[in-house]
Amino acid sequence: MTGFSRIAGKTTVSMIAATALAAVTMSTAVSATTHDAAATPKKQPPLPVGTCVNLGNTLEPEQEGSWGGAPATKQDMERIAAAGFDTIRIPVRWHNKSQSTPPYTVDPGWMNRVQQIVDWALKADLNVILNSHHFDPIHDDPLGVADWHGGVWQQIAQRFAGYPEDSLWFELENEPHNVFDHSNLISTLTPALEAVRALHPTRAVIIGGENWSGIASLETLPLPDDANIHATFHYYDPFQYTHQGASWTAPDMPPAGRTFPTHADAAKLANDVLAVEAFIDRTGKTPFMGEVGAYDLHIPLEDRAAYHRTITDAFAPTGIGMCVWAYSNTFPFFDRKSGEWLPGMRESLGLEVED
């Protein structure tokens, strides 16, 4: 029995999800018919993220590849593009590579290395999402660190001035959490946004919400009045399934053995799809899923593929792009030891795979 039917009896994922979605849709039908069309904002073109993969555990550890990953290569970018991915998201740690006081100088060698990888990706015809990831102090003292964070982004903006706007996009900060929340999100990110806009007035800039940018953050996500701001959210639901046995979640580490999907999982997934549709309807902006994945320690490969296929199929009607976590380390799609893509994983995203 495959991962598509690891639930009671022989009920399949698609049957459960369809039933749940129908029930949720019926429950919202009345409110939908009373929607005031005049209040609907003008729709803005979505960011063409398409099918995307994160270069995880590479540039966001304290040192490149130090979390069991490996230094990125030009061949990695070419392989990702050849596999059919449209976009690569490059998480980068900047706070330990920059001075915490003015002028907040970023280590030149680090900036050169980041630029090298971005250049490789663009040359491979990939779109690139370049972000700030694990800028740890900002989550404990958002406003106190805002100028430092903005000073770093000023240097990033300078380095990538003149790069194509249709394929290089900036994500100001990954997963706001702790005391970095919606009450101070815009104020905290303003120095960074102003630094970017001084040199890149129309480049796509990406903002995610509080509580690790979970899907619930879309309900109250504040966004600047800027037509080139794009919203993102992350999807690791249900967390008890996707992070079972993940040591970094201690002391509340989900125990191994959780299966997916239960009837409750399918119902929540259906509601989450409606939440994305509601955000689009309310704001005129189409968000994208910046991270999604399931940890491989205790979840069999076929079940991980089934999870991705379920999530991909569920959100496909919304038209959002999705960035899976990750390329080759922790939640991997590519196996560096064998030099091969893991069976079934690309297919779960709808990518065509040659025999």
Side-chain angles (χ1 to χ4, degrees), residues 145-200:
V145 175
D147 285 344
W148 174 13
H149 183 255
V152 169
W153 269 107
Q154 181 180 39
Q155 295 166 77
I156 298 170
Q158 290 170 341
R159 178 57 64 99
F160 292 99
Y163 274 61
E165 290 193 353
D166 62 350
S167 54
L168 175 61
W169 312 316
F170 294 156
E171 182 179 354
L172 297 182
E173 188 55 44
N174 179 69
E175 295 184 343
H177 59 274
N178 199 2
V179 296
F180 186 14
D181 58 25
H182 286 174
S183 72
N184 53 44
L185 185 73
I186 300 302
S187 297
T188 301
L189 294 180
T190 290
L193 182 59
E194 289 181 345
V196 169
R197 284 290 176 250
L199 294 173
H200 306 262

Side-chain angles (χ1 to χ4, degrees), residues 24 46 49 80 91 117 178 181 183 308 335 339 345 355:
V24 173
V49 172
I80 290 168
I117 295 172
N178 199 2
D181 58 25
S183 72
H308 275 284
D335 183 358
M345 293 299 287
D355 296 331

